[in-house]
Amino acid sequence: MQITFKLNKKNYSLDLQGHETLLEVIRNLLGLTGTKEACGEGECGACTVFANGKTVLSCLTLACDCDGYDILTIEGLSDGQTLHPIQEAFLEKGAVQCGFCMSGMILAAKNILDQNPLPNLEEIKKGLDGNLCRCAGYPKIFDAIEEAGKKIIKAK
Amino acid sequence: MQEFDKKFVNPVGKSVPRIDGKGLVTGQTKFAYDVQLPGMLVGKMIRSPHPHARIIKIDTTKAEALPGVKAVITAKDTGEIKFGSNEFFFPHLVDQMPLESQKVRYIGDEIGALAAIDEETAEKALKLIDVEYEILPGVFDMLEAMKPGAPQIHENVRNNINVILPVNIGNPDRLIKESDYVREDVFYCQSAAHTCMETHTCIGQYENFSNKITLWISHQAPFKVREAMAKCFKMDLNDVRVIKLATGGGFGGKLEMLPMDFASCVLSKKAGGFPVKIAYTREEEFTCSRRKHNMIYKLKSGVKKDGTLMGMTGEVIADGGAYCSYGPTLLASTIMRIFMTYQIKHLRITGYRVYTNTPISGAIRGFGGVQSGFAVESHMDLLAQGIGMDPAEFRLKNITTPNMVAANKMVISSNGLKECIETSMNASDWKNKRGKQSHLHRGIGMGIAGDVMGSKMYKAHESSGGIVKVEEDCSIYFFTGASDTGQGSNTALSQIVAQELGVSYSRMKCISADTAITPFDTGSFASRVTFIAGNGALLAARDAKEQILKIVAQDLHLDIKDLDIQAEEVIMLSTKKNIMSFEKAVKLCYSFNYGHQILGRGSFNPQTSPVDFRTGEGNVSASYSFESQIAEVEVNTKDGKITVLKLWDSHDVGKAINPSSVESQIEGSLAMGLGYVFSEDLKFENGRCANANFEGYRIPRSVDIPPMETLLIETIDPQGPYGAKGMGEAALLPTAAAIANAVEDAVGIRLKELPFTPDKVLKALKEKYGEDINL
Ligand code: FES
Ligand code: FES
């Protein structure tokens, strides 16, 4: 099955068998290992990517259903030169520990801030509900998202 | 010449960003899970579907014949050598083989492994393995397992008791008799899982001709893996290279060699040297790695009316699962912790670790301290209550002090426990809240804890080495054996090196935990890294600095004793004058006249005394850290839900090398503690895990996190690097008791069985108040 999609601003044309998940395609076929797998069952959020402007769990998404889509993974978040404000804020606020959940967490944060750059704590918590982190205990992640929102507004 | 960042001069005590942070937030860092090597094969473990059975025959021919299968191994491909994690202290308790040949003892027990060209083929091949078993009766409950006549899991182990630890100090029976108030309590602690976000992963490669093994791994203790691998392969330590890659969490679960590590290398050998990657599925992670010991804790103590704690007796029964793991040291750790916090001189607690046909219990953050923390700290509140004393006051009366020797010969030097209790009381407004909010069904409770910073788990020493390499462009490499599994040790250790060398942290790079190129370190456990590896780092930096200063002194005819490097400048101590910049000094070292490479080395082994595992006497750690935790809760008497309104954790960390990292460690611990209190309950039915996924096993999520306040107490430990102590684990030790104590303050019920589900709360309310629970 032939599909084409845009991933991190590049066009890809792929010949797939049909059963591959988007996660498998991103990691194994395209070699972009920033997107993680921590359960493979839609329960942890580590595999979060953007598809057509919305976050999806790539472990539950069939790649062939993404024909024509515009996909963004953690590797495409920054412009390749400077960090994205969310990445900056996560570092500044000490929100990163082992980092295995971080790709998904940061994209989930982007999803929250895309909707409202000044979210309150409840909105942040709700927006992260599907993203598990075992290291951090979350408060520093909440702070980082608040801070990132401020940075984004300032940059505008 | 490398530019340095002025902000990061004198980095100790500053929340500098993580040394590995940029790779982690951009997805560029490679974890073991991400590694792909040319020709790499997919490996899978062949596991027992039975909790207890004898292996009659394993037929692998069908699997081997499947196209794409490159190797299948069973015990006969191994030396059938037993290994164990507490081997050094308990050689007679070594009980596990990399692949079992005679018997299987839990569902998931490894009897073989295979490697194929891809996941699909490997899965298919697994189904083609034919094993004939003689099914044996299993035993799944630790109390059942201890009864005479129960199925015997290991040969020559009476009543399935793997370890008995009889700690006996003083004369507790007499002291209890002399007490004014005596009570006895029983507490129940469930099993739990680490759930690292990155599952256990390894890639093994065996070079047949050079007889060399390389293992890339997600791990806390690569040097421990090397030791066990060398033993099972009958190789020299230096024939085995274990390289830890970025590791997605450990929490005690990645502290041993697992059969998968060994199997990946044997498979590689059999497959002609191609690398073999084995990555656990989430289900395997829940069922076939390690789990927390579920425990029954019985305590009986006596106190005087004035609050003096007289003596304690008790019994601890711990479910060890199928094999020994770190069981003996864990049992010692759970019982001995009380001596860190309380001045108790008379104590007799007997610990039993029991085999059952369930997955292996092992180390998990707190190392037995979470269970003892719940039992002891709940019991202390009940004792205080029995004599009508405020529980905080009761603790203040009985706690340990700085510079004392405990009854079991623990040597306590710096000790901020009193300050911890007082600051947490002030921050939480304890005096105005305790006992005064029951009309709102609100309450406040306290728990305290102490922790080690290191202990000898598997060797006669627990040293950590460091190497500092200053390049001619002034960039600095620090090599350490310590494993950063996400806690930030590469960052903290680099801060220590930069501080001691007198340079900006921005110059630092860190290479860690590669057994071929970094110095030895026992591993990341027992909150030991900042303290022990930190001292190794400090000594290595000091050595490098002396080498630089020696050349400066020689060149300028100065007295080296009068020189130091501080904040990027070589200074003269007597005149406080700058002599030259650090950059100039390094240039001088690498100049035509000198050509001296700056390679500083350090090795640190803390001074402890051997612990007698029969009596519990000895000083396991060179120093101890302390904390006090307070929880404020509200109990909904209609649906039984406990809401934590806030947690305060006041922590004696000696000195916070990186305050933000320290807070993160505490917050992460608290979250883990909360998970254990309310929802994390690894359940088994006839030895089969009943909730091996994140849906059935709920770890804390963003929406579950209450406000947390961390208060750092800096006691500047005389032996710690810049006074720092370890602190990675202690924060979850008192959480369960603090909450149980707060619940009693709120609604008058006493919860003695974890986790605190709404059902248990409602049941306790009903028992206490009858049907009329609207209070
Ligand atoms: S890997 Fe997709 S949700 Fe866990
Ligand atoms: S940082 Fe380790 S799981 Fe989130």
Side-chain angles (χ1 to χ4, degrees):
Chain A
M1 182 186 291
Q2 195 76 25
I3 71 154
T4 58
F5 58 54
K6 200 185 257 180
L7 190 140
N8 300 339
K9 301 205 180 82
K10 278 200 199 98
N11 290 314
Y12 289 88
S13 179
L14 304 168
D15 197 9
L16 301 178
Q17 289 177 313
H19 58 72
E20 300 92 340
T21 63
L22 182 57
L23 179 67
E24 284 166 349
V25 167
I26 292 171
R27 283 180 60 87
N28 305 343
L29 222 55
L30 306 180
L32 292 171
T33 56
T35 308
K36 302 300 183 203
E37 175 179 4
C39 75
E41 296 179 337
E43 289 163 5
C44 76
C47 64
T48 303
V49 299
F50 272 86
N52 284 353
K54 279 202 293 258
T55 49
V56 298
L57 297 175
S58 61
C59 73
L60 293 185
T61 307
L62 279 180
C64 58
D65 289 345
C66 298
D67 194 23
Y69 273 38
D70 190 351
I71 294 163
L72 174 80
T73 70
I74 189 71
E75 287 92 345
L77 186 63
S78 82
D79 59 9
Q81 304 289 323
T82 48
L83 294 178
H84 185 278
I86 303 178
Q87 293 167 320
E88 255 174 33
F90 268 65
L91 286 184
E92 282 167 18
K93 291 289 170 186
V96 185
Q97 292 203 37
C98 81
F100 202 79
C101 70
M102 276 299 145
S103 304
M105 199 61 86
I106 286 171
L107 293 182
K110 177 173 157 47
N111 190 39
I112 297 170
L113 297 172
D114 281 353
Q115 289 161 35
N116 177 6
L118 291 174
N120 62 31
L121 185 61
E122 284 319 301
E123 287 166 329
I124 294 175
K125 285 185 174 182
K126 240 181 107 207
L128 293 181
D129 192 15
N131 289 78
L132 299 180
C133 174
R134 189 53 153 171
C135 300
Y138 304 95
K140 298 231 175 324
I141 298 176
F142 303 155
D143 287 355
I145 295 176
E146 230 171 63
E147 176 71 17
K150 286 184 204 145
K151 279 178 190 276
I152 288 168
I153 288 180
K154 215 165 141 200
K156 271 186 187 157
Chain B
M1 191 66 65
Q2 197 208 34
E3 292 264 316
F4 71 91
D5 193 332
K6 282 216 179 70
K7 271 206 307 285
F8 299 139
V9 167
N10 290 323
V12 161
K14 289 184 186 155
S15 297
V16 302
R18 295 188 47 136
I19 203 157
D20 49 1
K22 284 186 182 158
L24 295 172
V25 296
T26 54
Q28 285 184 339
T29 299
K30 292 272 181 272
F31 292 77
Y33 200 78
D34 300 326
V35 168
Q36 292 286 339
L37 297 172
M40 195 171 86
L41 302 170
V42 174
K44 294 266 170 208
M45 301 308 294
I46 303 170
R47 301 184 179 283
S48 161
H50 306 296
H52 199 192
R54 206 173 299 288
I55 304 164
I56 307 293
K57 206 171 84 198
I58 308 178
D59 183 358
T60 59
T61 45
K62 271 188 258 162
E64 274 161 322
L66 186 73
V69 172
K70 298 294 178 188
V72 184
I73 58 165
T74 61
K76 66 178 190 319
D77 298 287
T78 72
E80 299 195 25
I81 293 169
K82 285 188 179 170
F83 73 99
S85 296
N86 269 159
E87 198 167 343
F88 181 80
F89 297 105
F90 302 91
H92 58 292
L93 295 181
V94 169
D95 62 2
Q96 196 180 4
M97 273 194 276
L99 298 173
E100 294 299 332
S101 61
Q102 307 294 322
K103 250 175 85 164
V104 289
R105 298 176 179 87
Y106 77 99
I107 295 174
D109 210 350
E110 291 90 349
I111 57 165
L114 57 83
I117 48 166
D118 57 26
E119 186 85 25
E120 217 182 315
T121 314
E123 288 287 352
K124 232 189 242 163
L126 275 184
K127 296 200 181 93
L128 297 175
I129 303 284
D130 265 332
V131 190
E132 198 184 313
Y133 289 104
E134 178 199 334
I135 294 181
L136 302 170
V139 59
F140 311 108
D141 177 87
M142 51 184 161
L143 297 180
E144 291 297 319
M146 291 170 87
K147 285 185 184 155
Q152 290 294 289
I153 298 172
H154 290 268
E155 260 161 52
N156 303 323
V157 177
R158 261 190 74 204
N159 300 335
N160 292 310
I161 297 172
N162 166 223
V163 195
I164 300 183
L165 182 72
V167 177
N168 196 352
I169 286 161
N171 189 345
D173 296 316
R174 180 169 60 83
L175 272 286
I176 287 175
K177 245 186 231 138
E178 289 169 10
S179 300
D180 296 322
Y181 177 72
V182 177
R183 67 171 294 134
E184 204 171 340
D185 296 294
V186 186
F187 300 93
Y188 298 87
C189 305
Q190 81 279 25
S191 187
H194 310 76
T195 74
C196 304
M197 281 296 118
E198 183 190 27
T199 57
H200 278 77
T201 303
C202 68
I203 302 108
Q205 184 157 31
Y206 197 114
E207 291 172 42
N208 279 351
F209 290 102
S210 44
N211 215 26
K212 225 175 75 184
I213 284 174
T214 310
L215 187 72
W216 293 268
I217 199 166
S218 169
H219 215 268
Q220 297 171 249
F223 287 90
K224 169 70 201 164
V225 177
R226 178 181 72 163
E227 185 182 283
M229 293 277 280
K231 180 189 180 201
C232 292
F233 277 105
K234 293 197 190 142
M235 281 178 153
D236 291 341
L237 289 178
N238 273 330
D239 291 334
V240 182
R241 179 179 185 185
V242 182
I243 304 170
K244 182 205 78 87
L245 298 170
T247 293
F251 316 115
K254 296 175 181 168
L255 211 44
E256 299 173 67
M257 181 185 92
L258 293 193
M260 64 186 284
D261 303 317
F262 181 82
S264 67
C265 298
V266 183
L267 285 168
S268 171
K269 183 180 184 182
K270 218 175 173 184
F274 289 106
V276 175
K277 179 175 181 175
I278 302 181
Y280 268 19
T281 61
R282 181 53 62 187
E283 190 186 348
E284 281 178 301
E285 190 70 22
F286 272 110
T287 56
C288 312
S289 56
R290 290 290 182 270
R291 64 182 184 89
K292 189 179 225 135
H293 288 75
N294 41 309
M295 288 189 193
I296 300 173
Y297 236 102
K298 289 184 200 162
L299 296 174
K300 178 180 174 185
S301 306
V303 288
K304 281 274 188 209
K305 268 199 218 95
D306 68 355
T308 309
L309 182 58
M310 301 287 281
M312 181 183 277
T313 60
E315 191 177 86
V316 181
I317 307 173
D319 179 354
Y323 295 97
C324 183
S325 179
Y326 283 114
T329 38
L330 185 133
L331 200 56
S333 157
T334 192
I335 298 175
M336 243 63 95
R337 277 172 194 272
I338 190 167
F339 292 107
M340 298 173 205
T341 42
Y342 292 96
Q343 298 207 35
I344 185 160
K345 296 192 180 63
H346 304 271
L347 178 139
R348 185 182 65 247
I349 296 182
T350 306
Y352 301 88
R353 184 179 189 272
V354 185
Y355 287 128
T356 58
N357 292 115
T358 59
I360 308 163
S361 305
I364 179 168
R365 204 177 201 174
F367 207 58
V370 174
Q371 297 93 322
S372 64
F374 173 52
V376 170
E377 287 305 295
S378 298
H379 186 60
M380 291 297 171
D381 252 51
L382 288 163
L383 289 168
Q385 200 182 66
I387 50 167
M389 199 166 177
D390 177 80
E393 198 187 317
F394 177 75
R395 286 183 174 84
L396 284 168
K397 182 161 176 76
N398 288 294
I399 52 171
T400 52
T401 61
N403 308 315
M404 62 164 278
V405 179
N408 74 328
K409 306 209 169 85
M410 267 178 188
V411 182
I412 295 172
S413 49
S414 69
N415 181 346
L417 189 47
K418 181 166 179 274
E419 231 178 314
C420 288
I421 293 177
E422 286 165 356
T423 50
S424 65
M425 286 171 77
N426 287 339
S428 64
D429 200 12
W430 172 273
K431 290 211 167 106
N432 288 317
K433 285 180 181 165
R434 176 76 192 178
K436 299 193 175 85
Q437 302 188 94
S438 56
H439 58 290
L440 301 168
H441 299 172
R442 283 187 183 187
I444 192 163
M446 172 184 283
I448 59 173
D451 201 10
V452 294
M453 46 209 71
S455 74
K456 293 183 174 59
M457 293 262 279
Y458 65 89
K459 279 189 123 31
H461 68 95
E462 52 179 324
S463 67
S464 183
I467 294 173
V468 170
K469 178 158 78 109
V470 183
E471 302 286 3
E472 45 193 314
D473 67 352
C474 288
S475 58
I476 299 160
Y477 257 117
F478 176 55
F479 295 86
T480 173
S483 284
D484 197 334
T485 56
Q487 78 276 37
S489 57
N490 284 353
T491 304
L493 297 175
S494 297
Q495 285 178 261
I496 291 171
V497 170
Q499 180 77 35
E500 185 62 23
L501 197 50
V503 301
S504 169
Y505 163 77
S506 68
R507 296 193 186 277
M508 298 300 305
K509 305 247 178 322
C510 184
I511 301 270
S512 64
D514 175 337
T515 64
I517 60 173
T518 67
F520 176 86
D521 177 89
T522 50
S524 290
F525 56 82
S527 303
R528 64 181 285 286
V529 172
T530 306
F531 186 79
I532 299 176
N535 268 313
L538 188 87
L539 294 172
R542 195 169 289 164
D543 186 26
K545 180 160 78 175
E546 268 170 29
Q547 293 175 29
I548 297 169
L549 292 178
K550 196 171 159 201
I551 287 173
V552 173
Q554 188 180 341
D555 203 66
L556 300 179
H557 308 290
L558 296 169
D559 178 8
I560 185 170
K561 287 196 207 85
D562 194 25
L563 297 178
D564 195 10
I565 308 175
Q566 289 173 12
E568 291 279 339
E569 295 287 336
V570 178
I571 61 158
M572 201 184 254
L573 291 168
S574 54
T575 60
K576 301 253 174 325
K577 272 218 189 86
N578 292 354
I579 309 245
M580 65 172 78
S581 68
F582 172 73
E583 290 177 359
K584 260 214 172 113
V586 171
K587 224 183 233 163
L588 185 66
C589 296
Y590 286 96
S591 65
F592 186 87
N593 284 350
Y594 296 99
H596 181 86
Q597 295 199 23
I598 308 299
L599 290 167
R601 61 166 293 279
S603 164
F604 181 77
N605 185 43
Q607 290 305 304
T608 59
S609 63
V611 174
D612 186 334
F613 286 99
R614 288 159 311 182
T615 60
E617 283 192 347
N619 188 34
V620 276
S621 171
S623 190
Y624 299 87
S625 69
F626 302 93
E627 78 181 294
S628 163
Q629 200 170 108
I630 289 179
E632 188 175 3
V633 304
E634 187 176 302
V635 182
N636 183 326
T637 53
K638 293 198 177 63
D639 64 10
K641 210 173 152 327
I642 300 166
T643 304
V644 176
L645 302 172
K646 188 163 176 177
L647 286 175
W648 290 264
D649 189 74
S650 187
H651 219 108
D652 168 13
V653 299
K655 163 88 188 166
I657 301 291
N658 184 321
S660 167
S661 266
V662 169
E663 283 167 18
S664 297
Q665 281 294 298
I666 294 175
E667 289 163 358
S669 271
L670 292 175
M672 216 175 245
L674 288 169
Y676 189 60
V677 174
F678 292 117
S679 62
E680 295 185 36
D681 185 359
L682 199 63
K683 288 197 171 104
F684 299 94
E685 282 158 18
N686 292 329
R688 186 176 305 279
C689 183
N691 55 345
N693 54 50
F694 283 126
E695 205 189 342
Y697 185 92
R698 190 184 162 97
I699 66 169
R701 292 163 179 265
S702 53
V703 289
D704 302 326
I705 300 300
M708 302 167 171
E709 189 175 331
T710 53
L711 303 141
L712 304 185
I713 307 296
E714 302 198 315
T715 47
I716 312 296
D717 188 76
Q719 296 177 72
Y722 295 100
K725 303 204 262 192
M727 47 65 58
E729 299 180 78
L732 77 162
L733 309 188
T735 309
I739 290 171
N741 296 340
V743 168
E744 173 143 48
D745 187 45
V747 291
I749 56 167
R750 173 52 57 176
L751 300 172
K752 293 184 181 176
E753 191 180 332
L754 283 161
F756 303 157
T757 57
D759 284 353
K760 286 182 197 158
V761 173
L762 287 178
K763 191 168 158 248
L765 284 167
K766 206 165 159 191
E767 270 164 21
K768 175 128 189 173
Y769 302 104
E771 288 304 326
D772 178 30
I773 54 169
N774 288 330
L775 302 181

